[in-house]
Amino acid sequence: MELTLCGRLFIMLEKEIFMAIFTGAGVAIVTPFHEDGSINYEKFAELVEFQIAGGTDAIIVCGTTGESSTLTHEEHLDLIRFCAETVNGRVPVVAGTGSNCTDTAVYLSTEAEKYGVDGLLLVTPYYNKATQNGLYAHFKKVADSVKLPIILYNVPSRTGCNIQPQTAARLCTEVENIVGIKEASGNISQIAKLMSIAGDKVDLYSGNDDQIVPILSLGGKGVISVLSNVAPRQTHAICQKFFDGDVAGSAKEQLRAIDLCDALFCEVNPIPVKAGLNLMGKAVGGLHMPLSEMEPQNVERLKKAMTDYGIL
């Protein structure tokens, strides 16, 4: 049935009640472990304080960098709860609650909502490789189960599944609480297409630290960052300088960080960033298998990049 003009206006107004969850640099925070592989909550709290003191604009917990895929559901939810309690409203908390099983994503999302987080991050279903219609149905079902604003997470290099611009635009336009997307496809042309279709309806975040400024230039709200784990103040500055109109200064900061960004991804994330935090004396521990410790030659590469950048 065709909507009346009043009906269409109502939907538009309903979409507008969701402000951006955050602008600037949100850290995709690591999960520190004890030697036995259990979560080190004391260390996690220290990392949260380090981030907030460094000007980080949001904490994204239980994402890829947080090794969510190897946490039990109980650990996953307990860490989200602990993060929300530790942050205590000082900056927004976004909880990663995506899954390749729609029912699991609904469960994690509805539970996370109870803990007072500010938003959810939903990765595309991995391994299943859903169609675009399947992606729409998946994300809509999860969104309909909660009242929180949701950021989609497009990272086809990990999931084997790409949210096409038309699908992302449709979700952000038609589903009330789907408000944005973390774009880690690396495909600037695809991202530009999305923003040309639905730029005023989508909060765009860079998912790649080496593309913060290009994505901000397309109307992006900020970055969900790995780099920020080791350089929160500098990552925040890349965004803030851009927002303040100092585009040249922002670009300079972006380019200065490129070698470090490359080193942080010379092995699969979060292997290098956890090694980097350990080099800084943060003692975040090791990794859950099947991730393995960083190769010695790559540790030296990372150490040099961190030293050159001025954080070691």
Side-chain angles (χ1 to χ4, degrees), residues 280-296:
M280 294 171 70
K282 300 297 183 184
V284 298
L287 303 130
H288 277 181
M289 291 179 68
L291 298 183
S292 57
E293 294 302 315
M294 200 172 186
E295 298 294 330

Side-chain angles (χ1 to χ4, degrees), residues 22-25 57 204-205 212 216-217 219-223 236-247 250:
F22 74 95
T23 58
D57 298 291
L204 173 66
Y205 298 94
I212 301 172
L216 291 178
S217 74
K221 299 288 186 182
V223 60
H236 169 82
I238 294 172
C239 296
Q240 194 59 53
K241 284 178 182 290
F242 189 96
F243 297 145
D244 290 343
D246 183 9
V247 176
S250 176

Side-chain angles (χ1 to χ4, degrees), residues 25 209 212 223 225 227-228 231-240 309:
D209 286 307
I212 301 172
V223 60
S225 171
L227 173 66
S228 188
R233 194 170 300 281
Q234 296 89 332
T235 312
H236 169 82
I238 294 172
C239 296
Q240 194 59 53
Y309 194 65

Side-chain angles (χ1 to χ4, degrees), residues 23 28 79 89 117 124 151 187 232 238 290 296:
T23 58
L79 186 58
V117 299
T124 48
I151 300 171
N187 186 338
I238 294 172

Side-chain angles (χ1 to χ4, degrees), residues 42-61:
E42 181 180 359
K43 188 60 61 179
F44 184 86
E46 291 177 14
L47 294 179
V48 166
E49 297 306 325
F50 172 65
Q51 289 297 317
I52 293 175
T56 288
D57 298 291
I59 307 289
I60 291 79
V61 61

